[in-house]
Amino acid sequence: MIIAVDGPAASGKGTIARRLAAHFALPYLDTGLLYRGVAHAMLQHGHDAGDAAQAFALARGLDVEALDDEALRTAQVGAMASVVAAMPDVRAALLEVQKAFAAKPQGAVLDGRDIGTVICPHADVKLFVTASSEVRARRRFLELQKRGEAIEESQVLADIQLRDERDQSRAAAPLVQAPDAVLLDTSNLDIENAFRAALAEVERAVLARTPKSR
Ligand code: C5P
């Protein structure tokens, strides 16, 4: 079974996807980490944010096994990730590794922005997880604060709105709900209830696909 989970930053999609993967014992890929990995390398090398040639070279050489989660979670890396993610060559360089992950024999859970539309258009279940930008900013702010980042909540909201705008308006694989994806708004749900709602959708989809016994 392939489960595609898409949505904007801090919508809860990562936690939902990780928990669905654990529940169904499926491998899990956070595809945002790939773009964050490229962004982190760009920053480390001091490359200009608009340098598409360098971003492409770094994407091609990305060691997917060695992505250090913590260093990639900063607000600065997130902002740079959405810049490199708009570059068609960067997306092309990261396409195969994602498709290969989804082709594992037992299936997989992937989360990102274009899983249901580009990476796994034939996924068994597609979820589009969202929440209001204020709720998402609050969540991300608390997360960054916990990690010791000195940042104002208003700045986090501005960053999220800018990132949404960039992700939705880019020409290459923009953030958009696939027509056959189920919309899950987590604005008023805590993580437990968001997971339960997602699980109910997956189970509904699985049941709908199971041939009825006579
Ligand atoms: O999900 P996360 O916030 O870690 O993603 C960081 C950035 O990577 C996003 O803002 C988006 O621009 C990009 N991304 C993408 N396609 C994906 C996953 C992430 O464009 N499948």
Side-chain angles (χ1 to χ4, degrees):
M1 173 168 65
I2 297 178
I3 304 176
V5 185
D6 288 304
S11 57
K13 67 182 187 313
T15 312
I16 288 173
R18 200 172 293 113
R19 288 197 54 180
L20 285 174
H23 183 88
F24 291 106
L26 290 170
Y28 164 64
L29 180 64
D30 170 358
T31 65
L33 279 185
L34 305 177
Y35 297 93
R36 285 175 180 265
V38 176
H40 186 242
M42 288 285 280
L43 290 165
Q44 278 199 319
H45 287 92
H47 295 318
D48 192 78
D51 194 335
Q54 293 291 357
F56 175 55
L58 290 169
R60 283 215 318 184
L62 193 70
D63 183 354
V64 177
E65 303 297 325
L67 291 176
D68 172 3
D69 211 326
E70 269 309 299
L72 305 184
R73 295 284 172 199
T74 66
Q76 190 193 18
V77 170
M80 179 68 120
S82 82
V83 175
V84 298
M87 299 170 178
D89 284 350
V90 168
R91 303 201 74 84
L94 299 175
L95 190 73
E96 277 319 308
V97 63
Q98 297 175 79
K99 282 192 176 277
F101 192 92
K104 287 178 189 289
Q106 69 271 48
V109 181
L110 291 88
D111 83 54
R113 303 292 188 289
D114 61 343
I115 308 303
T117 51
V118 175
I119 307 295
C120 305
H122 304 298
D124 299 279
V125 189
K126 297 181 186 177
L127 300 176
F128 192 85
V129 184
T130 191
S132 72
S133 45
E134 287 74 18
V135 167
R136 292 187 287 120
R138 179 90 200 142
R139 288 176 188 160
R140 186 49 53 88
F141 170 67
L142 294 174
E143 221 176 273
L144 292 169
Q145 210 182 32
K146 216 164 149 186
R147 214 168 276 137
E149 266 201 65
I151 190 163
E152 296 286 329
E153 188 170 342
S154 56
Q155 183 58 49
V156 178
L157 177 60
D159 287 351
I160 277 197
Q161 285 169 336
L162 179 67
R163 201 131 74 86
D164 285 355
E165 162 64 19
R166 214 182 266 139
D167 290 349
Q168 286 161 356
S169 63
R170 69 183 176 217
L175 169 64
V176 62
Q177 182 181 347
D180 52 348
V182 175
L183 180 67
L184 184 62
D185 189 328
T186 66
S187 299
N188 298 310
L189 299 176
D190 62 16
I191 194 55
E192 193 54 39
N193 285 313
F195 167 65
R196 286 181 188 286
L199 182 58
E201 289 303 341
V202 174
E203 285 173 343
R204 209 189 322 271
V206 170
L207 268 179
R209 280 166 181 269
T210 312
K212 291 185 179 60
S213 55
R214 295 172 195 221

